[in-house]
Amino acid sequence: MNGNMIITGTITYAIRGRDILRNNSYRASVERNLTGNKRYGCGYGISVIGDIDKAVQILREHNIKILDIAPQI
Amino acid sequence: MIYLDNAATSGAKPREVKNAVNYALNYLSANPGRSGHKASFDAANAVFSVRSKVHKLFNSESENSVCFVGNCTAAINYVLQGNLGQGDHILISSLEHNAVYRPLFSMAQDGRITFDVVNIDVNSPDTCVSEFERKIKNNTKMIFVTAASNVTGTKLPLKQLGLLCKQKNIMFAVDAAQAAGHIEINMKELGIDFLCVAAHKGLFAPMGTGILIADKPIKNVIIKGGTGVDSMNPIQPEILPEGVESGTLNVPGICGIGGGIDFLKRIEKVKPLQQEKQLLSNLYYGLRRIGAELYTDDPSREIYLPVLSFNIKARSGEETARYLASKNIAVRGGFHCAPLAHKTIGTADRGTVRVSPSFLNYSEEIEKLLYYIKKL
């Protein structure tokens, strides 16, 4: 099942965000950003399966910088 | 060898550090934050886990505040050169290391900034706060102080200075080269915006490991380059920590920092600081009995960390240190890269001998040091 990619840009935000989402019972993993690669250059994102809006809200509450949200390729 | 030069670098590296470095060399030889293969992710996860340990140890804003750099001097330069601009004024203490003094001196020579030095009474440091307050100007942007002198061990009143900075809305930066790992430094409680750490000292990590913990942005990063982020943009990203970490990270060294923090937790119960101060106190009274020149009170006092300077007879600090080295005793002689501190204690003409034990030293080793000094 394809989920969504929350593009954070940096690996540090991606790992922080992944851990926060996992603590909130999400299936989340850090991946290389393929979806927004042309727009954002190199970088990372969090692959998430589940309620993406809620996941984004949780991450924002923890000051995780989010560049974009895109369907996972 | 009797190693009493822990203020320069911790002499004995614990097994947690060696194991962590060894693991990194064996299994984490890939570039973290650059690629998408397993080895790169493994390295990135390992680096992040150390960021997390450092963040918790110093209670910084988050893991994003923790930037790994080459040494404490680099961290200090990032803060000073990254945040002070044309016309800014900064206050420092009279116990600062050249890591702080020289960048500021150079910036002042170039006409970019001005700075003032607040004199510290090494035996009564709390009295400096009112002097700092008196010297604040309209354009004062930052107070930068050492947490503890590398010459006298004198601790500065960080809590009061942090409060002063908050009241006056100026940045507060601390050089924790001597203090990190020895005493609790809670950035949020102390109001510290920037903390610079020499991880190879009190955190027992390998040499070549420094940490800049930045709870505020670094506006003009002095080393620019590849960060693994936003690669097509020619402008250096400001985002932390990556914006400060251009180039490949020292993954084995960073893992060593993590091992050092684990070690600190393991030895917490033996109260290492108390043991080190007791050793120095014994040395202090031994030196006093033989008429050595001492510049501070009993090192067991709360205001000091375990660093003691002295001189004996008319010898320079360097001469005495060389003599002790010939007896296989490692201490540091000279000016310890801290000219302001030597002017403060009146030893600018001959420096001092500096003794900085660790809790791994024995009282017999201090007695042996005294024995050889008596023979001089």
Side-chain angles (χ1 to χ4, degrees):
Chain A
M1 180 169 102
N2 283 344
N4 289 287
M5 167 74 90
I6 298 174
I7 302 164
T8 59
T10 73
I11 185 85
T12 306
Y13 273 126
I15 296 177
R16 262 184 77 196
R18 176 201 66 191
D19 291 352
I20 290 163
L21 290 178
R22 283 181 180 173
N23 286 338
N24 282 274
S25 306
Y26 275 87
R27 279 174 62 191
S29 59
V30 174
E31 289 183 19
R32 198 79 176 141
N33 168 29
L34 301 179
T35 54
N37 195 283
K38 279 185 185 161
R39 189 166 166 201
Y40 299 107
C42 299
Y44 293 84
I46 313 165
S47 171
V48 184
I49 293 172
D51 183 344
I52 189 71
D53 294 333
K54 180 72 182 160
V56 167
Q57 187 193 329
I58 291 167
L59 293 176
R60 290 205 164 120
E61 282 166 6
H62 286 84
N63 297 318
I64 301 296
K65 191 167 180 178
I66 296 169
L67 297 178
D68 206 352
I69 298 141
Q72 182 93 43
I73 293 175
Chain B
M1 179 199 281
I2 299 175
Y3 189 83
L4 296 165
D5 196 14
N6 290 277
T9 199
S10 51
K13 305 299 182 191
R15 68 168 182 261
E16 284 88 343
V17 171
K18 290 174 185 164
N19 289 344
V21 172
N22 197 33
Y23 182 85
L25 290 170
N26 280 314
Y27 302 108
L28 300 174
S29 279
N31 209 324
R34 297 292 189 274
S35 304
H37 52 76
K38 184 182 179 302
S40 174
F41 277 126
D42 286 349
N45 280 316
V47 168
F48 183 82
S49 81
V50 181
R51 277 194 218 285
S52 197
K53 285 177 187 178
V54 173
H55 152 61
K56 284 171 189 151
L57 182 66
F58 298 107
N59 196 21
S60 64
E61 195 62 41
S62 75
E63 287 88 347
N64 282 78
S65 304
V66 179
C67 312
F68 294 114
V69 293
N71 48 51
C72 194
T73 298
I76 290 166
N77 272 268
Y78 276 114
V79 175
L80 295 175
Q81 301 197 50
N83 282 298
L84 296 176
Q86 189 66 41
D88 287 337
H89 174 254
I90 176 171
L91 288 172
I92 61 170
S93 86
S94 69
L95 299 179
E96 298 312 307
H97 190 277
N98 271 340
V100 172
Y101 185 45
R102 281 184 171 163
L104 289 179
F105 189 83
S106 163
M107 291 164 83
Q109 289 282 91
D110 293 345
R112 287 153 65 195
I113 61 140
T114 54
F115 70 97
D116 281 303
V117 179
V118 172
N119 194 53
I120 307 294
D121 179 342
V122 295
N123 297 314
S124 184
D126 288 3
T127 56
C128 73
V129 181
S130 56
E131 189 62 8
F132 270 102
E133 185 166 14
R134 202 179 64 75
K135 287 192 167 169
I136 291 173
K137 300 175 179 176
N138 288 337
N139 61 337
T140 303
K141 188 117 180 246
M142 181 186 285
I143 290 179
F144 200 128
V145 295
T146 183
S149 164
N150 70 318
V151 177
T152 64
T154 306
K155 290 194 286 179
L156 268 78
L158 299 185
K159 183 137 194 172
Q160 295 95 309
L161 290 173
L163 198 62
L164 176 64
C165 288
K166 198 174 178 186
Q167 284 166 355
K168 303 288 183 185
N169 197 26
I170 56 182
M171 290 185 276
F172 186 36
V174 174
D175 168 6
Q178 295 302 325
H182 289 283
I183 52 171
E184 188 191 347
I185 300 176
N186 185 323
M187 288 181 70
K188 281 187 189 159
E189 266 184 34
L190 297 172
I192 298 171
D193 298 311
F194 302 101
L195 188 73
C196 305
V197 176
H200 61 103
K201 297 185 184 189
L203 301 187
F204 293 92
M207 285 78 81
T209 53
I211 314 170
L212 163 60
I213 312 175
D215 275 354
K216 281 197 172 153
I218 301 286
K219 287 184 183 158
N220 177 31
V221 175
I222 51 173
I223 304 291
K224 298 176 176 72
T227 57
V229 181
D230 202 13
S231 304
M232 296 305 285
N233 188 346
I235 299 168
Q236 179 79 7
E238 276 189 15
I239 205 161
L240 294 178
E242 284 80 2
V244 169
E245 293 179 344
S246 288
T248 301
L249 288 173
N250 173 8
V251 176
I254 291 166
C255 290
I257 296 172
I261 294 173
D262 293 343
F263 174 65
L264 286 177
K265 283 191 184 137
R266 177 159 70 85
I267 61 169
E268 220 169 32
K269 283 182 185 158
V270 305
K271 296 189 175 20
L273 180 63
Q274 225 169 299
Q275 292 190 42
E276 289 157 4
K277 291 182 77 152
Q278 188 55 55
L279 288 171
L280 264 195
S281 188
N282 295 346
L283 174 65
Y284 177 84
Y285 286 107
L287 288 168
R288 215 162 80 159
R289 277 194 293 276
I290 59 173
E293 272 184 53
L294 293 154
Y295 307 98
T296 48
D297 293 338
D298 179 350
S300 66
R301 282 185 65 194
E302 170 59 28
I303 60 165
Y304 304 118
L305 283 186
V307 173
L308 179 70
S309 265
F310 72 93
N311 275 309
I312 187 83
K313 299 186 176 162
R315 287 167 177 260
S316 70
E318 201 73 74
E319 284 172 312
T320 307
R322 190 174 57 184
Y323 161 75
L324 290 169
S326 75
K327 306 299 177 196
N328 222 11
I329 297 175
V331 295
R332 172 106 176 247
F335 298 96
H336 319 102
C337 304
L340 295 174
H342 285 282
K343 285 175 189 161
T344 303
I345 62 172
T347 51
D349 57 337
R350 61 171 171 156
T352 58
V353 183
R354 183 184 72 184
V355 182
S356 51
S358 96
F359 75 103
L360 298 167
N361 288 112
Y362 299 103
S363 54
E364 291 79 5
E365 292 176 320
I366 297 294
E367 282 164 24
K368 199 164 185 183
L369 169 67
L370 274 168
Y371 167 80
Y372 282 116
I373 293 170
K374 274 182 209 165
K375 284 181 74 174
L376 261 173

